Amino acid sequence: MDAIIDPNNRVLHLKYVLFGLVILIWGSGKLFERLELPPRRLIYIILFVSFFMPFYALSMGLINNFLQNTDLQAIVYFNSFFFFLLIFIIYDTGFDLTKVINRSTLLIIVITLGIYCFFILQPSMYLVLTKYLVIDKNIAVFGLRKYGPITMLMIYFRTSPLLVFPLAYFLQRILMDKTSKARFIHYFILIAITVTLFLSGTRANLVSLLFIILFYVCLWTFKKSKPAFILLTIVLSLVFIYEVSTILTILFDKSEISNSVKLGHFESYLEYFSENGLQLFFGQGFGGAFYSSGFNKLTTVTELTYLETIRVWGLPITFIFILILILPIIKDIRDKNFSSVSVAYIAYLFIAGTNPFLFSSTGMMVLVYVFSRSFMVTNSENRIVVNGVK
């Protein structure tokens, strides 16, 4: 929960304390008990992400002489990779994170809608909250966002992309599972999530919102009536064709500040890779910088996460990492276990492409949730047991 409401550890300052307590409490309980390990394939993934990736980046940064001008606070950022080790605890205890994720992320709704209502009632407090939450704590972004003819107040909380998980969960419950229990509450929460993602104002959040809703509407229609599904597909295709020029304008309009910055980053990455073939393969490592016309200066990180991964780690390691990221999706499809988590995870990976928190502690907690759920095995015969019998 702390990683959700305080992603930068600048408000409560409890992230690492709580992480240490979890490790300590679990480790103490395991002194006289058997330790059940995940499948070997998952262990290799954990070791690759938690240890190899950060130490490789640090090593390449050292070889390229980038670390000498990098402060300790920036290097500490890489400790987020160690949060991926929590999979060992989740797998060993068999703890289901679904309820924790869905309930904790609802705090984002309270925070976002609370701030929005507060601005309406007390507009004079806009600058005060902006200074505290945006400038000092860097956990939110406020401002006006224009989408074609529509201009809206954006209230973007840094961890709002996590709302795709409860969004898919409640759509699954309402449309597919058809649970009668607490149905009104599910509708209420679903509406609140939709409004919050809309107010967040980012294109990635809005596209993911639309993707998840259309996915479940289409799936529900397909199960109800095949002809209705075909008709719906035709209608959606026609709407898309009719609005494609507007969509492309919204996404690639250079007059819009956010678009201009991202397109500048993209062009600068292409130019950098074309001029630095060796670093394209091996990566710059941690502490490296490149000139981006998006910022019009040297920068060490941008929002284009996957291109940034190539710059830091190089193509081979990035390719392996991308395969690791999509492995739960492939596994769930193969196991015929494509649940709401898989749908939300696809949306999350899309958002992460234009959001620099994939390698943060919050992003790692999402990966812990998805991987632990995907590889969780109820049959003890399929688990590796140490200090005991398989």
Side-chain angles (χ1 to χ4, degrees):
M1 183 179 296
D2 180 73
I4 291 175
I5 63 176
D6 187 17
N8 295 329
N9 198 39
R10 295 184 179 181
V11 180
L12 303 176
H13 305 287
L14 292 175
K15 181 190 299 184
Y16 303 116
V17 174
L18 295 175
F19 177 73
L21 284 176
V22 169
I23 298 294
L24 180 62
I25 294 172
W26 173 76
S28 300
K30 282 290 144 183
L31 289 176
F32 306 102
E33 295 181 9
R34 293 187 305 176
L35 173 62
E36 295 185 350
L37 295 175
R40 287 185 177 88
R41 178 171 54 172
L42 183 54
I43 293 176
Y44 297 148
I45 291 173
I46 295 171
L47 295 177
F48 181 85
V49 174
S50 299
F51 292 104
F52 179 79
M53 288 188 66
F55 286 113
Y56 177 86
L58 288 172
S59 299
M60 291 306 299
L62 184 63
I63 292 172
N64 292 320
N65 294 320
F66 292 134
L67 289 185
Q68 60 185 5
N69 297 321
T70 306
D71 57 26
L72 180 61
Q73 183 178 1
I75 296 177
V76 170
Y77 169 79
F78 264 63
N79 61 17
S80 298
F81 285 89
F82 299 135
F83 279 73
F84 200 59
L85 292 170
L86 291 174
I87 293 181
F88 282 117
I89 299 178
I90 301 301
Y91 192 92
D92 177 70
T93 59
F95 187 76
D96 186 4
L97 283 172
T98 300
K99 289 185 178 180
V100 175
I101 293 294
N102 288 333
R103 291 175 180 177
S104 299
T105 50
L106 296 183
L107 287 173
I108 301 171
I109 298 175
V110 176
I111 294 172
T112 302
L113 298 184
I115 292 174
Y116 195 86
C117 293
F118 187 74
F119 283 162
I120 294 176
L121 298 175
Q122 296 290 336
S124 60
M125 294 297 292
Y126 180 85
L127 293 179
V128 176
L129 281 182
T130 298
K131 182 181 183 304
Y132 179 75
L133 295 177
V134 179
I135 300 175
D136 295 341
K137 304 303 179 181
N138 193 30
I139 59 174
V141 177
F142 307 146
L144 296 178
R145 178 58 65 88
K146 186 176 181 180
Y147 295 104
I150 301 175
T151 300
M152 55 177 283
L153 175 63
M154 176 182 71
I155 307 292
Y156 175 74
F157 196 72
R158 292 290 184 186
T159 53
S160 63
L162 298 181
L163 286 173
V164 296
F165 288 96
L167 172 66
Y169 173 80
F170 286 109
L171 278 170
Q172 173 81 29
R173 298 275 289 178
I174 292 172
L175 294 179
M176 308 310 299
D177 298 340
K178 298 180 180 179
T179 56
S180 58
K181 185 179 179 181
R183 196 170 182 83
F184 174 77
I185 296 177
H186 291 170
Y187 275 113
F188 178 79
I189 295 175
L190 184 61
I191 293 172
I193 293 172
T194 302
V195 172
T196 303
L197 284 173
F198 180 77
L199 291 178
S200 69
T202 67
R203 290 169 177 79
N205 279 8
L206 295 179
V207 171
S208 296
L209 170 66
L210 187 61
F211 160 73
I212 294 175
I213 291 176
L214 287 179
F215 175 86
Y216 277 104
V217 169
C218 290
L219 185 60
W220 177 82
T221 306
F222 178 79
K223 290 196 172 186
K224 282 289 185 180
S225 170
K226 303 300 188 296
F229 172 75
I230 295 174
L231 179 61
L232 177 62
T233 303
I234 294 173
V235 171
L236 290 176
S237 300
L238 292 175
V239 171
F240 176 79
I241 293 172
Y242 181 76
E243 295 291 343
V244 67
S245 60
T246 303
I247 295 172
L248 292 176
T249 299
I250 293 175
L251 293 177
F252 300 103
D253 182 12
K254 286 191 174 183
S255 64
E256 205 277 328
I257 296 177
S258 179
N259 274 352
S260 177
V261 172
K262 288 183 174 63
L263 290 172
H265 290 330
F266 182 76
E267 293 169 355
S268 297
Y269 273 117
L270 295 182
E271 183 178 354
Y272 170 79
F273 292 146
S274 65
E275 296 176 353
N276 299 273
L278 192 62
Q279 291 186 350
L280 172 63
F281 187 83
F282 292 104
Q284 274 191 319
F286 187 71
F290 79 112
Y291 174 81
S292 173
S293 60
F295 290 150
N296 195 27
K297 65 177 182 179
L298 287 173
T299 181
T300 58
V301 64
T302 74
E303 295 176 327
L304 302 184
T305 301
Y306 300 124
L307 290 175
E308 179 68 9
T309 305
I310 296 174
R311 183 185 68 82
V312 175
W313 282 277
L315 275 174
I317 293 178
T318 298
F319 178 74
I320 295 173
F321 181 64
I322 296 299
L323 287 180
I324 289 174
L325 289 181
I326 65 175
L327 183 60
I329 301 172
I330 297 173
K331 188 176 184 300
D332 288 353
I333 293 175
R334 187 192 64 188
D335 296 342
K336 298 180 180 180
N337 186 34
F338 200 73
S339 67
S340 63
V341 177
S342 303
V343 177
Y345 183 53
I346 293 174
Y348 168 80
L349 290 179
F350 167 74
I351 296 174
T354 57
N355 192 307
F357 73 76
L358 179 62
F359 295 113
S360 68
S361 57
T362 304
M364 287 297 160
M365 285 303 301
V366 170
L367 297 184
V368 167
Y369 170 44
V370 173
F371 275 84
S372 61
R373 174 202 159 275
S374 180
F375 283 87
M376 192 71 72
V377 181
T378 56
N379 185 355
S380 60
E381 293 182 358
N382 292 328
R383 292 190 178 188
I384 303 171
V385 182
V386 297
N387 298 328
V389 181
K390 182 177 179 181

